[in-house]
Amino acid sequence: MIKFFAENRLFHLQTREFSYVMQVLENEQLVHRYFGKKVNHFGTGNKITYLDRAFAPSPISGDRTFSLEALSLEYSGNGLGDFRMASVELRNEFGVGLDLKFQTYRIYKGKFALEGLPSSFGSEDEVETLEIDLYDALTDVTVTLLYSVFESANFLARSVKITAGEHATTIEKCLSFTLDMPRKDFVVHSLMGRYAYEKEWTQTPLTSGRYEISSVRGASGHAQTPFLALADERITEDSGEIYSGHLVYSGNFKAFAETSPLHYTRWGIGLNDQAFSWRLEEHQSFQTPEALISYTDQGLAAMTQDSHNFIKYHLVRSPFVDKVRPILINNWEATYFDFTEEKILELAKVASQTGIELFVLDDGWFGRRNDDESSLGDWFVNRQKLPNGLGGLAQSINDLGMEFGLWFEPEMISINSDLYRKHPDWAIGITGRDPIYSREQLVLDLSQEQVCDYIIESVGSILESAPITYVKWDMNRNITSMPERLANNERYEFHHRYMLGLYRILEELTTRFPHILFESCSGGGGRNDLGMMYYMPQAWASDNTDAIGRLSIQEGTSLIYPVNSIGAHVSAVPNHQVGRVTPLETRGNIAMMGGAFGYELDLTSLEKEEIEEITEQVATYKSIRQTIQNGQFYRLARTSNTQSTIYVNEDRSQAVFTFVKILAQPEAPLIQVRLKGLDPEVQYSCSQLNETFYGDELMNIGLTMPSVQKDYFSVQYIFNKI
Ligand code: DGJ
């Protein structure tokens, strides 16, 4: 996987599909030579072209052709002639500037370690690691570049460690990687959006200048995802080059792609340098969060599948990673805060009769919480609502044959709470300024060890108090300020310290309760990122539960994240967010196509026929969920008015095809959809069509979609091998 060629001091990293090449120049500069389709040879004939470029600064007197600005650099400090976005910036008594020179390297089997942060993993047979030390003599700073190669998974994990020597220094910026590419004709793919409209798949041609996405919210955010891909302009599902980069982190981040006047592209990802700095005393180190890089020339479907597989088998640590997920009912949109034990049990009873397997009790079960203005932090059960406590309720739900799950929002504190009255200093705030509210709540200062200990203890004891097998971990506001308790020079460390505190909490709780399936949430997908997914294999994708609204959210999320990580529920009509009335069949089909399936509506208020339909949906989902959650996923033909997908199980004996047409049209053209992933020689039966087909017919000729004059129309066809 990793080779070092001593004669030309070249490092060549190879995965199943790509090569990544670096070289040490005569002056000890580490340059980037190649990233792209795998080559088995990178010979001495492949030389760097040096040219005299106007205004290009040179560190070598008399050599006007050598300039950092014109080279592809592996990791670049500022102040020495490279004017592009710097990878790293330090502030110390020597002024700015880092002259990073190659010092030494190490190659070993297995994955590099990352203390206190989520990161990918793999066995010694699957992963090999290269560490390269770069050294700046003036400041006595060592920058270690870490590369773990996942050969068959086709990924490269990156991180950077900065170590101070005899002098203290302050890190103002350190990205997890930057990469220089010798072309600029890319389209940038990213996942943007907003609250209730998360993960909008955005494609932006890279022109001159810089494309940047970032968050300073103390969370990755609804409006952006720590992910960026550079693709060929004419990429399709099945062909074209695409380079992708992820950050395994849930806090402030920055991802960018910029073109240089010499028509190169530099791109990268890492901690956001806004509101960040980190003090290193003598001999201390700092390590960046992990970034993941991949490449394929097989188009978007290959990127998606590599990404799903890597996340599932090398990043999600939960024992639930590929276990089938229970079908759940969540009471949020059924009752909001207004429930009693009796109401919950009525709902649970109907749910159990339909075959639903898990009841999730959402917000409002603790403290004196009857609306969103109080009690966050008071993690003890509200006996007025639940006289038999959580233990009693969970037992009654278990008696109905269902498991029991519970909602928490542990990082928050309400001003109207016992916790705030006791520990006002645990909330993030600034003396002399009014608190900044969001949903009437403040954020706990997780940079304080005692606050994290309180969360571990209070959540832990609730989890021990009842047979709870599922936790929904919510976070309903962003962080606006930094605690004034911190000294001036530590204040900009706060955001990262918060994340380290959160990760410690999650590490402890998920390790202590391995039988619990954790779902992350932040008002829907406000923190749906790989940092959270390391601990929690599922995420509530959006507070938008409208089936049609979900189409783009699910499509964007599944572009990179595994389908079984996407919580997708059938909700009531008219829909609570947009007022739309969609047929129950379409709500079911779209939620099933979303991944981890469930319901979120008052089943007790439905007609008998609707309950019968739901019972059928639940039974159908049970027969296909292994295929949906762990099968191969393909996006099929789509337009702004239609979407279709197919899931195919491992031995290609079952496939689930879904087609949705949003609005009916007059004189509509027929729509032919070609399926993918089937065995061409196998004959499949489809009970919904009462027909049989060979795989090659379905894939090459395709199926003609029904022509129906109805809005929000959908079909689900299940193909089983005969
Ligand atoms: C936001 C979540 O996204 C909702 O599903 C629900 O859990 C509410 N919070 C409860 O406050």
Side-chain angles (χ1 to χ4, degrees):
M1 302 177 211
I2 300 174
K3 288 186 198 129
F4 177 66
F5 297 92
E7 63 281 13
N8 48 356
R9 298 204 293 174
L10 197 105
F11 295 96
H12 189 158
L13 283 46
Q14 285 178 318
T15 66
R16 192 189 74 225
E17 281 197 43
F18 65 80
S19 283
Y20 187 105
V21 184
M22 297 164 275
Q23 190 170 22
V24 183
L25 302 184
E26 260 172 38
N27 72 345
E28 307 304 316
Q29 184 76 45
L30 182 67
V31 292
H32 182 76
R33 295 299 312 273
Y34 175 68
F35 175 33
K37 193 176 170 76
K38 184 173 181 172
V39 290
N40 284 326
H41 313 280
F42 195 102
T44 47
N46 221 312
K47 300 235 175 344
I48 299 172
T49 306
Y50 295 98
L51 293 173
D52 180 357
R53 299 285 193 183
F55 275 76
S58 173
I60 307 170
S61 170
D63 183 355
R64 294 163 62 138
T65 66
F66 186 93
S67 173
L68 297 187
E69 190 189 6
L71 281 170
S72 286
L73 300 174
E74 190 53 26
Y75 200 69
S76 173
N78 58 347
L80 296 166
D82 179 16
F83 296 111
R84 293 163 291 185
M85 170 86 89
S87 323
V88 55
E89 280 175 13
L90 303 184
R91 188 162 40 86
N92 47 47
E93 63 204 88
F94 304 100
V96 291
L98 262 185
D99 192 9
L100 294 173
K101 291 292 166 64
F102 174 77
Q103 201 179 36
T104 182
Y105 75 95
R106 300 166 287 281
I107 295 175
Y108 54 89
K109 288 207 171 302
K111 169 73 206 315
F112 63 75
L114 208 51
E115 211 184 307
L117 287 165
S119 66
S120 59
F121 50 81
S123 70
E124 294 204 342
D125 292 338
E126 293 167 320
V127 194
E128 200 171 15
T129 294
L130 164 69
E131 296 189 4
I132 300 178
D133 288 341
L134 305 177
Y135 179 66
D136 178 42
L138 181 65
T139 57
D140 196 20
V141 164
T142 304
V143 172
T144 306
L145 307 181
L146 299 107
Y147 304 82
S148 280
V149 182
F150 291 76
E151 207 255 325
S152 73
N154 201 37
F155 262 87
L156 179 62
R158 296 280 316 264
S159 176
V160 176
K161 187 171 182 177
I162 299 177
T163 308
E166 292 303 322
H167 312 283
T169 192
T170 299
I171 304 170
E172 297 290 346
K173 172 187 194 180
C174 52
L175 296 174
S176 297
F177 78 83
T178 55
L179 253 166
D180 290 347
M181 321 267 289
R183 53 182 273 212
K184 69 167 201 169
D185 54 339
F186 288 116
V187 171
V188 183
H189 291 239
S190 55
L191 298 171
M192 312 299 280
R194 59 179 181 271
Y195 172 76
Y197 190 59
E198 296 88 339
K199 304 268 185 281
E200 186 197 5
W201 181 358
T202 309
Q203 301 176 24
T204 317
L206 197 57
T207 50
S208 300
R210 185 179 296 160
Y211 177 92
E212 188 174 311
I213 51 177
S214 65
S215 167
V216 282
R217 294 171 170 273
S220 45
H222 293 91
Q224 57 282 311
T225 304
F227 158 79
L228 192 77
L230 302 184
D232 282 346
E233 280 162 352
R234 264 178 256 133
I235 192 152
T236 67
E237 284 293 324
D238 306 307
S239 69
E241 291 193 297
I242 182 157
Y243 300 81
S244 51
H246 304 254
L247 190 68
V248 185
Y249 195 62
S250 317
N252 296 349
F253 77 94
K254 165 163 161 173
F256 77 98
E258 76 173 3
T259 57
S260 77
L262 298 175
H263 289 201
Y264 275 35
T265 300
R266 172 169 291 177
W267 64 295
I269 198 162
L271 288 172
N272 198 339
D273 45 307
Q274 186 181 331
F276 169 82
S277 72
W278 197 272
R279 175 82 178 158
L280 289 183
E281 300 303 338
E282 291 85 345
H283 305 293
Q284 283 184 340
S285 297
F286 177 84
Q287 189 160 359
T288 69
E290 177 169 304
L292 300 167
I293 302 172
S294 189
Y295 162 88
T296 180
D297 67 345
Q298 307 290 310
L300 292 161
M303 179 196 73
T304 293
Q305 282 159 12
D306 275 351
S307 177
H308 288 191
N309 289 333
F310 184 84
I311 292 168
K312 269 168 103 166
Y313 301 112
H314 295 289
L315 189 83
V316 173
R317 218 186 32 165
S318 162
F320 289 90
V321 60
D322 53 3
K323 289 206 180 123
V324 290
R325 305 291 163 80
I327 303 174
L328 65 81
I329 171 93
N330 177 302
N331 73 306
W332 180 242
E333 289 199 4
T335 64
Y336 295 102
F337 294 103
D338 186 16
F339 61 82
T340 56
E341 183 181 282
E342 208 186 338
K343 173 73 200 173
I344 294 298
L345 287 176
E346 271 171 36
L347 187 54
K349 194 166 165 211
V350 185
S352 72
Q353 285 158 357
T354 66
I356 290 176
E357 301 156 315
L358 165 73
F359 189 98
V360 180
L361 181 62
D362 211 280
D363 197 352
W365 58 266
F366 54 93
R368 282 171 287 278
R369 187 144 165 110
N370 295 316
D371 54 35
D372 60 12
E373 300 196 0
S374 85
S375 304
L376 291 170
D378 297 346
W379 299 112
F380 48 86
V381 68
N382 180 338
R383 291 261 169 189
Q384 270 168 358
K385 281 183 175 172
L386 304 175
N388 295 303
L390 287 171
L393 178 64
Q395 187 55 56
S396 308
I397 284 177
N398 288 170
D399 291 345
L400 289 168
M402 282 193 295
E403 296 189 37
F404 179 66
L406 196 60
W407 178 97
F408 288 92
E409 195 180 355
E411 298 155 72
M412 299 292 150
I413 181 164
S414 305
I415 290 206
N416 182 7
S417 67
D418 293 351
L419 187 68
Y420 188 80
R421 284 182 278 274
K422 204 164 155 202
H423 296 291
D425 54 319
W426 284 12
I428 301 167
I430 298 172
T431 313
R433 286 198 198 281
D434 289 337
I436 306 289
Y437 299 99
S438 180
R439 212 191 187 203
E440 294 301 315
Q441 64 199 49
L442 304 180
V443 185
L444 282 169
D445 177 2
L446 300 200
S447 70
Q448 293 188 50
E449 218 175 308
Q450 52 177 344
V451 177
C452 298
D453 290 343
Y454 169 77
I455 294 177
I456 293 168
E457 235 175 80
S458 54
V459 174
S461 64
I462 290 282
L463 295 182
E464 263 157 15
S465 73
I468 295 166
T469 56
Y470 185 97
V471 163
K472 177 176 175 187
W473 185 289
D474 210 343
M475 189 231 193
N476 284 305
R477 68 159 288 173
N478 291 140
I479 302 174
T480 43
S481 44
M482 301 168 186
E484 57 121 15
R485 146 193 102 69
L486 293 173
N488 239 342
N489 62 347
E490 287 177 339
R491 208 158 281 164
Y492 277 24
E493 298 183 2
F494 167 70
H495 279 292
H496 187 58
R497 289 196 184 282
Y498 180 97
M499 293 316 306
L500 294 174
L502 174 64
Y503 290 144
R504 176 165 83 82
I505 296 168
L506 299 182
E507 178 73 34
E508 287 228 20
L509 289 173
T510 54
T511 310
R512 208 160 113 200
F513 299 99
H515 67 284
I516 293 182
L517 170 55
F518 283 85
E519 178 185 67
S520 79
C521 174
S522 173
R527 198 171 54 183
N528 189 0
D529 54 55
L530 294 186
M532 294 306 287
M533 221 175 283
Y534 174 78
Y535 303 98
M536 305 195 180
Q538 219 164 283
W540 176 228
S542 181
D543 274 359
N544 184 351
T545 62
D546 170 55
I548 300 305
R550 280 260 164 174
L551 284 172
S552 69
I553 295 167
Q554 290 177 181
E555 180 177 66
T557 310
S558 62
L559 180 69
I560 50 173
Y561 295 160
V563 172
N564 69 351
S565 76
I566 305 173
H569 301 171
V570 172
S571 64
V573 288
N575 174 265
H576 294 193
Q577 289 77 40
V578 296
R580 187 175 284 131
V581 178
T582 42
L584 181 54
E585 183 182 4
T586 290
R587 280 178 277 151
N589 287 345
I590 293 176
M592 287 194 223
M593 144 192 191
F597 182 59
Y599 290 83
E600 184 156 341
L601 74 172
D602 187 359
L603 297 176
T604 64
S605 67
L606 299 188
E607 300 296 332
K608 188 166 156 273
E609 296 71 39
E610 290 174 302
I611 294 294
E612 280 166 9
E613 193 173 342
I614 288 177
T615 309
E616 264 176 48
Q617 287 178 345
V618 169
T620 302
Y621 188 71
K622 285 180 184 168
S623 73
I624 57 176
R625 70 174 145 187
Q626 179 63 267
T627 299
I628 291 185
Q629 293 177 6
N630 290 317
Q632 198 77 277
F633 160 69
Y634 299 88
R635 288 173 292 272
L636 303 177
R638 60 189 185 282
T639 64
S640 57
N641 197 32
T642 61
Q643 204 183 96
S644 48
T645 59
I646 190 167
Y647 297 89
V648 184
N649 69 352
E650 209 184 338
D651 66 3
R652 298 189 287 177
S653 61
Q654 186 180 64
V656 182
F657 166 80
T658 313
F659 168 81
V660 182
K661 183 167 177 185
I662 301 173
L663 293 180
Q665 297 155 308
E667 200 63 18
L670 286 175
I671 297 172
Q672 189 91 357
V673 182
R674 290 186 191 172
L675 278 45
K676 287 184 180 171
L678 302 168
D679 184 333
E681 297 306 325
V682 160
Q683 197 178 13
Y684 295 91
S685 69
C686 174
S687 59
Q688 292 78 13
L689 290 169
N690 201 18
E691 281 294 353
T692 61
F693 304 87
Y694 275 92
D696 63 350
E697 295 176 74
L698 293 168
M699 293 194 292
N700 298 332
I701 303 169
L703 280 176
T704 306
M705 294 300 105
S707 179
V708 175
Q709 287 308 89
K710 267 192 215 153
D711 288 344
Y712 318 130
F713 170 75
S714 70
V715 294
Q716 181 190 65
Y717 297 152
I718 301 169
F719 296 93
N720 283 304
K721 179 177 173 173
I722 293 176

